[in-house]
Amino acid sequence: MEEKSWHRHYTYNVPTSFRCPRLPVSELLQIPANAYPDKAAMILDGHETTFWQLRQSVLRMANALGALGIEKGDRVGIHLPTCPQYVIAYYAVLSLGAIVVNLNPLYKVEELTAMARDTGLTTLITIDTARETVSALCRAVDIPRVIVTKLEDFSTERGKNTKAGLDLESTWHHFSTLLENCTGTKLPRLTIDPDDPAVIQFTGGTTGLPKGAVLTHGNIIYATMFCSLWSSTTSLIPPERRTVLALLPFYHVYGNICIINWSMMMCATQIHMPRFQIDELMDFIGRSEEISYFPTVPTIISAIINHQSFDPAIFGRKIKTINSGGGPIAVELIREIKNTATFYSEGWGMSETTSVGISNPLMGMTKTGAIGIPIPGVDVRLVDLEDGTEDVPRGEPGEVIIKGPNVMKHYWNHPEETAEQLKNGWLYTGDIGTQDEDDYIFLVDRKKDMIIAGGFNIYPREIDEVLFQHPKVEFAVTVGIPDPYRGETVKAFIVMKEGQTATDREIIAFCKEKMAPYKVPKTVEFRDSLPQSAVGKVLRRALRDEETAKR
């Protein structure tokens, strides 16, 4: 790829391009199993699994799944929280050349039914707490194989639960029993090419059926290689000490790349936290000696900073690098993190771009509020919002389009949607951004979230940033709601900091001091919480749909 002007901003030891290994995703496990076989690969509630034990378990599970009839190209749903069983199942399925279908274990029957039919699932690997949901799913869709596990099977030294103990249906299989009864540890004999599908990652749609982005082995290897090179400060920590805090869900593309696969490439121990509870998280950070890498989301960063036990000095000594993704982060939160000694980076990516695409260098020029610059091997343009063909002038808002080895192969079973999003290799993201004189990109908003009020284009994120500056506000999001006179008008939803109160007049008056009158929210609603996605991304569209339904 030709030299780009933004390459001058890369951290000193990050290459502007690199040769991506042509290997299957499952072979990433070979790196730590060979270099650090006795190091802990995963820790859940104090129970450790070494890299060698993990590799043996993956091979045994791959052989067990092969004996059940799973073949290359089969779609296997993994319906698990963040836990060791997920990692074992993930690499075992990919070892067979089968395709992982990531499924949120909190999905309802209707959601799972639509996704199972769309992908033609042949197997579902699930958790015991979802038995009733999965039973209902199997009555609606024929899924030949169901495999069930219990979280505690890998969190204690006690004996594993049994199929009878979990009261499973007669035709279902028990995860631990399959693992223990299979002694075969030979690698499956088949060829897996970089262009072969590895994962179907459903996008976070808010209306209708989300589309499944098909990510190839090449996509995932590239994204993992990029993350390992870009997190250059983590490389300064000896491999023996490297850890990653696994709080993100593994079924989300962000957790998949930045925890599961990154940890294999970097020989880092995954510390599993299957659920987010702020007091538990703060207690864990306080007890930890150090955490090398903490990929997380803005809502969790906000909860940490606003927690009563948060101490910038302690946080800076414990957490070496923190990365924010999964949605825009307020400038005020970035400033708070930078007050600690922790290295901080914010990046942008989508399911369709294998979680990566634009990021801030860890060492070098930083611009608060920017999502960064295009990553190695990737090209980005900002094009006009009408027909999407002409580049917009520097500093003007345009739709972000991206091309590179991180871009998905296509949407599963959705050729029309694929043709609409992918044009001549360029992925049209639907995000609106601006690019400054130094090539740094600032997201303005989602194209579909833009508010048009009285002929003015209003970007909700701009208003959100102002609301975050209010000393009493913990979290805020604005949406456009139908208005008979202006077409749309602005409404703000606000979560107050603990112990704080405010009136809508106070909030509106604050906004009037900081922005043009047409941008000021006309109404304010205070809430205890806001609807979020699996990774803590506030669902602006869900709030707007609520308001539309009222009319």
Side-chain angles (χ1 to χ4, degrees):
M1 187 175 180
E2 66 184 40
E3 191 75 11
K4 296 291 185 178
S5 57
W6 54 74
H7 288 165
R8 70 190 190 277
H9 299 305
Y10 285 6
T11 300
Y12 69 94
N13 57 351
V14 172
T16 57
S17 64
F18 59 85
R19 295 184 302 278
C20 195
R22 294 177 60 85
L23 76 164
V25 174
S26 56
E27 288 191 20
L28 288 175
L29 182 52
Q30 176 74 10
I31 298 169
N34 178 274
Y36 297 95
D38 298 323
K39 184 188 177 187
M42 309 177 290
I43 302 175
L44 175 61
D45 292 339
H47 180 61
E48 296 186 0
T49 302
T50 68
F51 281 115
W52 184 258
Q53 290 169 335
L54 173 58
R55 183 176 184 272
Q56 295 298 97
S57 293
V58 166
L59 291 175
R60 282 159 54 201
M61 181 56 73
N63 282 283
L65 295 178
L68 291 178
I70 296 174
E71 299 178 343
K72 184 177 181 180
D74 284 355
R75 275 76 66 202
V76 178
I78 303 185
H79 183 235
L80 297 172
T82 297
C83 62
Q85 296 95 309
Y86 187 102
V87 181
I88 293 169
Y90 175 76
Y91 286 120
V93 170
L94 295 180
S95 295
L96 293 168
I99 303 170
V100 169
V101 180
N102 274 322
L103 299 169
N104 185 337
L106 297 180
Y107 279 156
K108 304 300 182 184
V109 175
E110 292 77 10
E111 296 168 300
L112 290 171
T113 299
M115 293 175 178
R117 284 177 175 160
D118 186 46
T119 57
L121 287 186
T122 66
T123 306
L124 181 66
I125 303 173
T126 186
I127 194 80
D128 67 310
T129 53
R131 279 174 297 187
E132 291 185 9
T133 299
V134 173
S135 291
L137 169 66
C138 291
R139 290 193 292 272
V141 183
D142 179 29
I143 301 178
R145 292 169 286 267
V146 175
I147 302 167
V148 184
T149 187
K150 187 177 179 67
L151 188 64
E152 289 75 14
D153 280 357
F154 282 78
S155 65
T156 69
E157 294 289 354
R158 297 193 304 269
K160 303 291 189 293
N161 289 281
T162 64
K163 178 177 179 178
L166 294 181
D167 193 28
L168 303 184
E169 296 189 17
S170 60
T171 57
W172 292 5
H173 302 274
H174 181 233
F175 188 96
S176 294
T177 302
L178 282 178
L179 196 58
E180 291 166 0
N181 289 347
C182 183
T183 58
T185 55
K186 289 187 177 180
L187 290 167
R189 295 185 178 181
L190 73 162
T191 300
I192 300 175
D193 294 322
D195 199 44
D196 286 342
V199 171
I200 296 177
Q201 187 72 48
F202 281 98
T203 59
T206 56
T207 57
L209 176 67
K211 301 182 293 292
V214 176
L215 307 179
T216 66
H217 286 262
N219 288 151
I220 293 172
I221 292 293
Y222 166 81
T224 304
M225 279 289 295
F226 155 73
C227 287
S228 66
L229 293 168
W230 200 257
S231 58
S232 51
T233 54
T234 309
S235 299
L236 301 175
I237 300 171
E240 294 87 347
R241 281 172 37 205
R242 286 180 201 156
T243 57
V244 55
L245 185 52
L247 187 59
L248 294 172
F250 288 166
Y251 52 79
H252 191 277
V253 69
Y254 185 12
N256 182 288
I257 299 300
C258 292
I259 297 178
I260 297 181
N261 295 301
W262 178 91
S263 69
M264 299 302 153
M265 181 72 72
M266 297 294 285
C267 303
T269 300
Q270 301 173 17
I271 304 169
H272 291 183
M273 297 191 76
R275 66 180 182 278
F276 168 61
Q277 207 290 326
I278 185 59
D279 291 334
E280 291 181 4
L281 175 60
M282 297 305 288
D283 178 65
F284 174 78
I285 292 174
R287 289 184 287 105
S288 300
E289 291 187 13
E290 66 177 2
I291 297 167
S292 306
Y293 185 44
F294 182 18
T296 187
V297 294
T299 48
I300 293 178
I301 293 174
S302 176
I304 290 171
I305 289 172
N306 288 292
H307 194 268
Q308 58 186 3
S309 69
F310 176 71
D311 184 330
I314 293 176
F315 188 85
R317 287 178 64 87
K318 303 273 190 178
I319 310 291
K320 303 307 178 184
T321 299
I322 190 169
N323 185 78
S324 179
I329 184 170
V331 171
E332 289 301 310
L333 292 180
I334 297 173
R335 288 174 178 150
E336 290 286 348
I337 287 293
K338 288 189 174 182
N339 284 335
T340 74
T342 299
F343 280 103
Y344 169 83
S345 180
E346 181 182 5
W348 169 96
M350 308 167 66
S351 296
E352 292 90 338
T353 66
T354 325
S355 185
V356 300
I358 301 169
S359 192
N360 280 286
L362 279 172
M363 298 178 68
M365 180 189 292
T366 59
K367 298 199 175 192
T368 301
I371 57 171
I373 50 181
I375 64 177
V378 163
D379 202 0
V380 171
R381 295 167 54 204
L382 273 66
V383 298
D384 64 281
L385 302 178
E386 297 302 321
D387 59 18
T389 57
E390 299 294 328
D391 290 3
V392 298
R394 190 69 62 117
E396 293 295 317
E399 181 174 1
V400 178
I401 64 174
I402 185 170
K403 176 190 284 189
N406 57 325
V407 173
M408 68 173 183
K409 188 171 187 176
H410 53 74
Y411 288 121
W412 183 268
N413 277 347
H414 290 277
E416 293 182 1
E417 286 84 351
T418 300
E420 185 178 335
Q421 295 290 123
L422 274 174
K423 300 173 184 177
N424 298 319
W426 289 94
L427 176 74
Y428 283 69
T429 69
D431 277 329
I432 303 173
T434 61
Q435 192 169 32
D436 70 7
E437 68 282 359
D438 293 313
D439 298 306
Y440 278 69
I441 296 171
F442 296 75
L443 278 194
V444 179
D445 236 308
R446 289 288 297 167
K447 190 174 180 180
K448 294 179 180 178
D449 289 336
M450 186 173 69
I451 302 168
I452 303 177
F456 291 102
N457 288 350
I458 302 172
Y459 300 106
R461 189 184 177 197
E462 182 182 2
I463 307 171
D464 296 349
E465 292 286 357
V466 171
L467 291 169
F468 266 103
Q469 296 174 28
H470 195 289
K472 296 180 180 179
V473 171
E474 179 173 346
F475 220 86
V477 63
T478 48
V479 302
I481 60 175
D483 182 83
Y485 177 66
R486 302 181 74 209
E488 285 185 300
T489 191
V490 180
K491 179 172 181 176
F493 294 85
I494 292 176
V495 176
M496 304 300 293
K497 291 181 179 178
E498 187 174 354
Q500 298 289 338
T501 60
T503 65
D504 53 352
R505 289 185 179 183
E506 179 182 346
I507 298 296
I508 291 170
F510 180 82
C511 292
K512 284 181 177 178
E513 295 177 359
K514 297 179 177 291
M515 64 180 74
Y518 70 88
K519 299 179 184 178
V520 174
K522 296 299 181 285
T523 56
V524 177
E525 183 176 327
F526 298 96
R527 292 196 174 189
D528 294 331
S529 63
L530 298 172
Q532 299 178 11
S533 70
V535 291
K537 183 177 181 180
V538 174
L539 298 175
R540 196 188 303 268
R541 186 67 56 83
L543 291 168
R544 190 167 65 191
D545 290 345
E546 284 182 27
E547 293 298 314
T548 302
K550 294 177 184 177
R551 286 159 169 77

